[in-house]
Amino acid sequence: MNFRTDLAIERKEYNEKEKLDGVISCCEERDGIKITRIEIIDERGERLLSKPCGRYITIEAPPFIRDAGLFSSAMTVFSDELKSLLPEKGSVLVAGLGNEDITADALGPKCLNLLLATRHISRELRESLGLGELRSVAGIVPGVLGKTGIETSEIIFGVVRRIKPSCVIAVDALAARKTQRLGTTIQMADTGISPGSGVGNSRSRIGRETLGVPVIAVGVPTVVDAVTMTADILEQSGAGEGDFSEKLKSQEGMLVTPKEIDAIIDRAARLIALGINTALQPELSAGEILSIVS
């Protein structure tokens, strides 16, 4: 069955019975957080995982809604892994993708509410505030095509041409295959992103090939395709999907979110925003950053 997911780790898991030519992977655990690094190195890997060549980092943590701490282990691990994908120097544009009027798709816009934007802060102002050196960071919430009539990639491209960042960080909600990954998983990739691809509504790609600069995609799974979820339940129960294939097809297009989706989005947006801020501004502590953006 062809299932919907934005996660490279789930594509890898699905194909683990085959020889994964063109794919390199490793795992480690740190402070109770599982980190899986996958690199697709050639066309064989691209065909197997249905993903473009590049690096994919997946962080699996305890459910975000159970972690009341402002500076959790998950945030620290995420920030450290993000640094490995960022260019060492240059300004950065952070784009919050998604529709803020739909809870499960509001991760990007909510994340931008806590972004420490610094591009507008002059050296004199930084010194007067005692902030020291700050990396130049700008943020944008481009909205969605249905509201603006403009492709998200076109809006970001216009901003990139104007401010010339060294890279773009694109934050978006993702689709997963397994419900246990909702609100527990973060994926980073240096391959860019095709917004909506995991839910069958793919828009123009946002990547180096379209923007002219590296694009780091960051996302948290917030929805599961109903057909995929049902097929997995049937497989786990030993029933198989054969006798139910027609009924499954009738459910295509339905997406499932957990009942705690509001809390998941709020916690995930805070975790991602603080992780991005600390990765980009290493001279400031997480507490100092929070006091500025709150």
Side-chain angles (χ1 to χ4, degrees):
M1 177 181 176
N2 184 28
F3 61 92
R4 288 177 176 173
T5 181
D6 289 309
L7 301 180
I9 191 173
E10 291 189 330
R11 291 287 180 187
K12 176 180 175 293
E13 290 170 347
Y14 186 74
N15 289 284
E16 277 187 338
K17 292 181 181 179
E18 302 180 33
K19 185 178 179 182
L20 294 176
D21 291 327
V23 178
I24 300 171
S25 67
C26 65
C27 298
E28 71 171 272
E29 189 165 318
R30 176 179 156 196
D31 298 329
I33 310 296
K34 183 181 178 183
I35 306 166
T36 303
R37 302 182 184 91
I38 298 171
E39 185 174 3
I40 301 175
I41 59 175
D42 59 28
E43 292 182 356
R44 295 173 300 173
E46 288 185 327
R47 287 194 298 270
L48 276 172
L49 301 193
S50 300
K51 294 283 185 183
C53 285
R55 292 180 292 169
Y56 299 83
I57 302 173
T58 306
I59 296 170
E60 297 175 88
F64 302 152
I65 59 173
R66 295 182 189 170
D67 188 355
L70 291 174
F71 314 118
S72 65
S73 297
M75 190 275 284
T76 302
V77 171
F78 164 64
S79 180
D80 290 344
E81 293 298 318
L82 179 60
K83 289 177 186 176
S84 71
L85 300 178
L86 286 168
E88 292 184 5
K89 297 180 180 179
S91 62
V92 175
L93 174 65
V94 183
L97 310 183
N99 189 340
E100 56 189 331
D101 293 328
I102 300 176
T103 303
D105 196 32
L107 176 68
K110 281 184 172 289
C111 177
L112 266 286
N113 290 335
L114 288 171
L115 177 71
L116 177 55
T118 60
R119 183 173 177 268
H120 62 296
I121 302 177
S122 66
R123 178 178 295 275
E124 291 76 15
L125 181 56
R126 292 201 304 268
E127 291 176 352
S128 67
L129 295 174
L131 295 177
E133 290 297 322
L134 292 176
R135 189 167 190 172
S136 177
V137 178
I140 181 175
V141 178
V144 292
L145 180 65
K147 285 185 175 183
T148 65
I150 309 171
E151 286 281 3
T152 301
S153 59
E154 294 175 326
I155 295 175
I156 298 175
F157 177 65
V159 177
V160 167
R161 287 188 64 185
R162 178 66 178 177
I163 70 173
K164 297 178 173 58
S166 65
C167 78
V168 173
I169 300 175
V171 182
D172 199 9
L174 305 178
R177 179 189 183 191
K178 298 180 178 179
T179 55
Q180 59 263 38
R181 286 206 162 98
L182 302 184
T184 66
T185 304
I186 304 170
Q187 176 177 271
M188 290 166 275
D190 63 2
T191 59
I193 188 171
S194 296
S197 59
V199 295
N201 185 33
S202 185
R203 308 309 312 167
S204 295
R205 185 164 180 77
I206 300 169
R208 183 193 286 267
E209 65 275 20
T210 56
L211 301 185
V213 298
V215 177
I216 301 169
V218 176
V220 172
T222 61
V223 298
V224 171
D225 178 65
V227 174
T228 300
M229 182 181 70
T230 305
D232 273 349
I233 293 172
L234 291 172
E235 181 181 341
Q236 292 169 15
S237 67
E241 64 178 77
D243 297 335
F244 300 90
S245 58
E246 291 303 317
K247 291 183 179 180
L248 286 174
K249 289 179 181 178
S250 69
Q251 303 302 312
E252 288 183 354
M254 294 184 65
L255 300 173
V256 179
T257 65
K259 63 182 180 181
E260 307 93 347
I261 188 62
D262 293 87
I264 288 173
I265 289 294
D266 286 342
R267 294 286 177 86
R270 184 187 64 186
L271 187 157
I272 297 298
L274 293 178
I276 290 173
N277 289 336
T278 54
L280 293 175
Q281 310 299 348
E283 293 193 10
L284 296 179
S285 70
E288 289 173 326
I289 291 173
L290 189 64
S291 68
I292 296 171
V293 299
S294 297

